[in-house]
């Protein structure tokens, strides 16, 4: 019993550091942007109204929608938009047209994650360093250079992994939450009546009396739920209970106390509106607070960067992106990975965002559209999961999701007003990634169709070959093929040029599924084709790490004993040649050919031994 309690405590502490880093640092800029927008007249009634809207936004979107409802929609224990997308597509697999639409919507939402992944670290770190301006206006010219240095240091250490420093994430973030709560309590004690703003009547009164202003400021209010999607995305790492315990015991109370403390400060010192968070602190605490805030924002950014690595790997295995180099940074935790291309691509785009927008207030204008679109997509996918996957009655599904859809839609529509002020930036990033994903998916489909049109039936081919068999040589040949039952190009080239067959021949197809994990008991399918030839299918979920040699160890019981020293892996190295005719637009075909050329080697992705791989090339016109 005590062991399970300590495990829950450890997971809860980890969840506070990784899951809630983003939302924990939203106190740096959310209140500032609402009152700094100039749309809200500075009155006591409006301060109460805004605080009430903040509190109930956190309650409805985070507590009710994500913590209570969406956390229930786990895909074999995994969460996040990719897991939800897989779950929704499985739920409507008998409705192909609807499934196709949901896949497109879900993939677009995943693409917007990259737009959010650029804006969030930029706005978080920049808002923390801007605390230096409160210490002295003379520091203003150092804010952007310091921000860029911190971000470069953060991305430079990614290749080393987070095993060493990860254990400090939780404790530092807990200190951060306790610190912001203490600052809030200090100012609430000066005006305890501010706590009455918890009543929804103040929020409803503000909305009723100023509906147009309410609609406009929702684009800034959404900043208080920055990173809300993370608690669903990280469910597989920590589990539902630790995430829920962390939210209700630490995160939600501390955020509420700090926002209400900021409100109490503004009522007594309206001039603090320029940066209410840092103005809460006494002068002697400003420098330590800037340091602590910077650490908290770096931790929040780290969680998002790690999330970008994981999501990209999952998307690759679902077939929407080409293979990229994946490096494991921990021998114990297989989930700790590093993708150099994604890491430095994110860094360059974040630097571009910081240099272009120059301040957290300008970045706040860019933030919102991407995350609100993701929240809206999550609500829509949840409806199809509980309706078609869980078979709940239609009225209950509407009741469970329509309220959240209306709330999400209101925030989304408000954020559209920021489109020209910077909202186009994350949409541009998401749109570019979406174009790449669709081009890769369509290109692979065209390529496979071409291969299938020219394919030779494997059993018939083997029958013909063994009528007058070529010379057999010692060892095992493993031919990687995209489709079951077809002759791999590598085998045709091997017979044509070398005129030999190995004693054992395995025709291996790797299948990736819309399921996070596939266990070892379902990993391998093997069928004998005679003449010491076997057809093998290896199954992986989108969170499994492909390792073909390791998987093939499991076929010893079927009479095929692989000796690593005498096993060779044959791959077809296909060169894509764009051509006129049916298919994609010429620019997309050229883009696909470039992506295919630059994809990471299949041998590395499938963890094949470098000294046992033979690649034989061929050209494919699409």
């Amino acid at each position: 019993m005590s062991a399970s309690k300590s495990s829950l405590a450890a997971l809860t502490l980890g969840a506070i550091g990784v899951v809630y880093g983003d939302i924990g640092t939203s106190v740096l800029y959310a209140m500032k942007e609402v009152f700094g927008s100039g749309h809200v007249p500075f009155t006591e009634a409006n301060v109460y109204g805004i605080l009430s809207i903040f509190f109930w936004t956190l309650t409805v979107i985070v507590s009710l929608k994500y913590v209570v409802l969406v956390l229930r929609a786990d895909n074999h224990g995994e969460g996040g938009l990719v897991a939800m997308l897989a779950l929704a597509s499985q739920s409507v697999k008998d409705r192909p047209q609807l499934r196709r639409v949901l896949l497109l919507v879900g993939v677009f939402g995943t693409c917007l994650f990259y737009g959010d992944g650029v804006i969030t670290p930029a706005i978080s770190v920049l808002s923390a360093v801007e605390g230096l301006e409160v210490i002295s206006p003379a520091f203003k010219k150092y804010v952007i250079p310091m921000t860029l240095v911190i971000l470069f240091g953060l991305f430079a250490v990614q290749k080393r992994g987070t095993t060493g420093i990860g254990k400090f994430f939780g404790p530092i973030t807990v200190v951060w939450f306790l610190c912001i709560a203490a600052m809030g309590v200090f100012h609430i004690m000066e005006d305890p009546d501010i706590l009455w703003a918890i009543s929804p009547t103040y929020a409803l009164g503000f909305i009723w009396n100023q509906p147009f202003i309410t609609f406009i400021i929702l684009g800034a209010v959404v900043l208080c739920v920055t990173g809300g999607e993370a608690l669903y995305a990280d469910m597989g790492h920590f589990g539902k209970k630790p995430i829920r315990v962390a939210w209700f015991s630490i995160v939600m109370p501390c955020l509420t106390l700090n926002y209400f403390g900021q409100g109490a400060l503004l009522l007594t010192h309206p001039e603090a509106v320029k940066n209410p968070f840092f103005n809460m602190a006494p002068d002697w605490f400003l420098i330590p607070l800037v340091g602590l805030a910077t650490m908290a924002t770096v931790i929040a950014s780290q969680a998002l960067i790690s999330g970008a690595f994981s999501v990209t790997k999952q998307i690759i295995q679902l077939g929407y992106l080409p293979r990229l180099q994946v490096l494991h940074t921990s021998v114990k935790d297989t989930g700790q990975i590093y993708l150099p291309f994604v890491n430095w691509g994110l860094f360059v785009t974040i630097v571009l965002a910081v240099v272009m927008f120059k301040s957290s207030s300008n970045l706040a204008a860019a933030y919102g559209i991407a995350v609100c679109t993701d929240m809206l997509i999550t609500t829509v996918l949840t409806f199809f999961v509980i309706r078609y996957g869980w078979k709940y009655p239609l009225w209950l599904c509407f009741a469970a999701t329509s309220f959240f859809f209306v709330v999400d839609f209101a925030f989304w529509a408000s954020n559209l007003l920021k489109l020209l002020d910077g909202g186009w930036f994350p949409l541009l990033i998401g749109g570019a990634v979406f174009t790449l994903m669709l081009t890769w998916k369509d290109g692979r489909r065209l390529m496979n169709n071409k291969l299938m049109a020219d394919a030779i039936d494997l059993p018939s081919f083997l029958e013909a070959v063994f009528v007058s068999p070529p010379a057999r040589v010692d060892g095992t040949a493993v031919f990687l093929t995209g489709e079951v039952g077809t002759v791999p190009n590598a085998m045709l080239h091997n017979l044509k040029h070398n005129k030999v067959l190995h004693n054992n021949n395995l025709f291996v197809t790797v299948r990736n599924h819309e399921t996070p994990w596939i266990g070892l008991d379902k990993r391998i399918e093997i069928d004998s084709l005679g003449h010491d030839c076997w057809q093998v299918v290896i199954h992986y979920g989108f969170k499994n790490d492909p390792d073909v040699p390791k998987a093939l160890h499991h076929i010893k019981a079927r009479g095929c004993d692989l000796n690593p020293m005498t096993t060779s892996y044959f791959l077809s190295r296909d060169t894509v040649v764009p051509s006129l005719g049916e298919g994609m637009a010429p620019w997309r075909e050229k883009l696909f050919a470039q992506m295919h050329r630059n994809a990471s080697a299949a041998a590395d992705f499938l963890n094949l031994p470098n000294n046992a791989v033979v690649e034989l090339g061929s050209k494919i016109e699409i």
Side-chain angles (χ1 to χ4, degrees), residues 128-264:
V129 179
E130 281 173 350
L132 292 172
E133 295 180 37
V134 178
I135 299 171
S136 170
F139 286 126
K140 185 172 184 177
K141 60 184 177 182
Y142 300 111
V143 168
I144 290 179
M146 280 191 65
T147 299
L148 296 179
V149 168
I150 291 167
L151 286 169
F152 176 76
L154 174 64
F155 281 90
V157 301
Q158 292 304 310
K159 61 184 176 183
R160 301 181 185 277
T162 58
T163 306
I165 58 172
K167 58 188 176 185
F168 298 111
F169 285 4
I172 291 173
T173 312
V174 168
V175 170
W176 168 254
F177 276 115
L178 295 178
C179 178
I180 66 173
M183 289 164 61
V185 169
F186 178 78
H187 288 281
I188 290 170
M189 288 171 64
E190 294 181 348
D191 187 3
D193 287 346
I194 199 75
L195 291 174
W196 285 109
I198 287 177
S199 169
T201 55
Y202 290 98
L204 294 173
F206 185 95
I207 295 167
W208 178 261
N209 294 322
Q210 305 175 81
F212 182 67
I213 289 177
T214 302
F215 178 70
I216 291 175
I217 65 164
L218 284 181
V221 171
V222 75
L223 293 167
C224 76
V225 292
T226 307
E229 285 269 330
L231 68 91
Y232 177 48
D234 288 310
M235 177 168 56
H237 294 289
F238 300 100
K240 300 175 188 178
K241 191 172 182 180
I243 289 174
R244 286 172 171 155
V245 169
W247 174 253
F248 287 115
S249 65
I250 297 286
V251 182
M252 176 74 170
C254 293
L255 289 175
T256 302
L257 288 171
N258 189 266
Y259 282 126
F260 278 63
Q262 290 188 42

Side-chain angles (χ1 to χ4, degrees), residues 7-8 10-20 77 230-231 233-243:
S7 175
L8 175 62
L11 286 170
T12 302
L13 183 63
I16 292 171
V18 175
V19 178
Y20 294 113
L231 68 91
D234 288 310
M235 177 168 56
H237 294 289
F238 300 100
K240 300 175 188 178
K241 191 172 182 180
I243 289 174

Side-chain angles (χ1 to χ4, degrees), residues 289-346:
L289 183 61
V290 171
L292 181 60
T294 303
M295 283 194 286
T297 54
V298 165
I299 291 170
S301 302
Q302 174 62 61
L304 201 142
I305 295 164
S306 299
F309 295 158
S310 298
V311 166
T312 304
K313 178 174 173 285
Q314 293 168 24
I315 288 292
I316 289 169
Q317 290 188 216
L318 284 175
Y320 282 94
L321 280 177
R323 295 180 302 272
L324 296 174
Q325 185 182 18
V326 179
L327 303 176
H328 289 267
T329 58
S330 171
V331 293
K332 293 181 181 177
D333 185 0
T334 56
Q336 287 203 19
I337 56 175
Y338 169 66
L339 281 73
F341 180 81
V342 175
N343 185 66
W344 294 112
L346 268 179

